[in-house]
Amino acid sequence: MASEPLPENVTLKDVIDSLPRKVFEINDGKAWTSVLISVTSYALGLFMISKAPWYLLPLAWAWTGTAVTGFFVIGHDCAHKSFAKNKLVEDVVGSLAFLPLIYPYEPWRFKHDRHHAKTNMLSEDTAWHPIWKEEFDSSPLLRKAIIYGYGPIRPWMSIAHWLIWQFDLNKFRPNEVKRVRISLACVFAFMGIGWPLIIYKAGILGWIKFWLMPWLGYHFWMSTFTMVHHTAPHIPFKSSNEWNAAQAQLNGTIHCDYPKW
């Protein structure tokens, strides 16, 4: 169902100012409990992978991929400055949480800030956005076939987004590049040390079992919840001259109720 349009004089600041103060309060207990749950669940997943017969491996991979998605959620909250009162702690925890995902924390944080600043704005939004009709109509047949083929692979399209957006220094402002370089160095160090250690201990098949398959499970969730967050038939993507920040954030965001389990 489409939401009612906001009055034109309502700004995003008005909306934020209307929220109760408790929603902005940082809860250390809740934050570190989320770390404990994610780390424990991930460790349990790795244990299940090591013990599961081949026919139960998909279940173990699904569990572990979901558990490691919790690491992304922790890094996400650190990027939003809602994890801890100490900002250095947030940067360290966020960077460490993203490492097993080989996601550079600072590049993602900068891009995510722009996503929130330009939510559902055509072209400028750095998350999912629809393909323009003019672009589709003018595309060659092969390109149209690829677009139609997105459906089955859409749950893993965040891998392409990760490659395109996170590692290109030219996509960042000059004052961001230093922090981006540090994050990239951390990711490449993790790959250069962690991957060979996994292969040394468990071989290439072990690397696939213990790291790659859970990573693909994580990207299933990454692609899915990122797309679902701001995409539905009744939600518009608007050009910059028509876009309104408050309208985009309130009426351009999906709320999903899930069973408690």
Side-chain angles (χ1 to χ4, degrees):
M1 176 183 288
S3 303
E4 291 294 325
L6 287 175
E8 289 189 5
N9 62 333
V10 175
T11 66
L12 189 56
K13 184 178 184 303
D14 295 329
V15 175
I16 293 171
D17 289 344
S18 73
L19 298 174
R21 289 183 60 85
K22 67 178 181 180
V23 304
F24 300 102
E25 293 173 358
I26 290 174
N27 186 324
D28 290 328
K30 188 174 181 180
W32 290 105
T33 298
S34 71
V35 174
L36 180 62
I37 290 171
S38 293
V39 171
T40 303
S41 299
Y42 184 55
L44 178 59
L46 295 177
F47 176 76
M48 289 193 294
I49 291 171
S50 70
K51 299 298 182 182
W54 66 267
Y55 53 85
L56 290 180
L57 277 175
L59 291 176
W61 288 331
W63 171 282
T64 311
T66 303
V68 80
T69 303
F71 290 18
F72 170 80
V73 175
I74 291 163
H76 171 276
D77 290 350
C78 289
H80 275 292
K81 307 304 178 188
S82 61
F83 180 85
K85 298 180 180 70
N86 186 305
K87 303 313 171 189
L88 177 60
V89 168
E90 287 185 317
D91 287 342
V92 171
V93 171
S95 297
L96 291 175
F98 270 31
L99 277 185
L101 308 170
I102 56 171
Y103 235 104
Y105 173 72
E106 292 291 355
W108 180 85
R109 181 173 72 85
F110 291 136
K111 292 301 179 190
H112 192 63
D113 284 348
R114 292 182 207 175
H115 157 64
H116 279 294
K118 308 287 185 181
T119 301
N120 282 34
M121 186 186 291
L122 277 171
S123 300
E124 287 85 351
D125 191 350
T126 60
W128 295 106
H129 55 78
I131 295 169
W132 292 56
K133 184 178 184 301
E134 295 81 0
E135 178 189 350
F136 181 82
D137 290 341
S138 63
S139 295
L141 187 61
L142 179 59
R143 167 70 173 154
K144 288 179 180 177
I146 292 172
I147 292 170
Y148 275 121
Y150 282 168
I153 63 170
R154 191 170 287 275
W156 290 276
M157 286 294 288
S158 58
I159 296 174
H161 189 274
W162 162 77
L163 280 171
I164 293 168
W165 283 97
Q166 310 303 325
F167 295 91
D168 185 355
L169 292 177
N170 294 322
K171 293 185 181 295
F172 298 92
R173 302 183 181 100
N175 64 321
E176 298 171 342
V177 169
K178 181 179 179 180
R179 297 181 74 98
V180 169
R181 288 184 188 275
I182 293 172
S183 282
L184 293 179
C186 291
V187 165
F188 291 132
F190 179 87
M191 293 166 65
I193 298 171
W195 284 3
L197 281 175
I198 297 171
I199 294 169
Y200 175 73
K201 290 290 186 180
I204 292 292
L205 286 179
W207 177 81
I208 294 171
K209 279 177 58 177
F210 288 99
W211 186 84
L212 181 63
M213 297 308 292
W215 185 74
L216 292 176
Y218 152 70
H219 271 287
F220 167 84
W221 289 118
M222 181 70 169
S223 300
T224 301
F225 61 58
T226 305
M227 181 174 67
V228 168
H229 199 184
H230 300 290
T231 308
H234 67 275
I235 287 183
F237 282 74
K238 296 187 175 182
S239 58
S240 57
N241 60 327
E242 299 175 307
W243 184 84
N244 174 278
Q247 190 84 34
Q249 295 293 352
L250 289 183
N251 293 350
T253 301
I254 303 292
H255 176 77
C256 297
D257 286 319
Y258 293 97
K260 288 185 178 180
W261 60 266

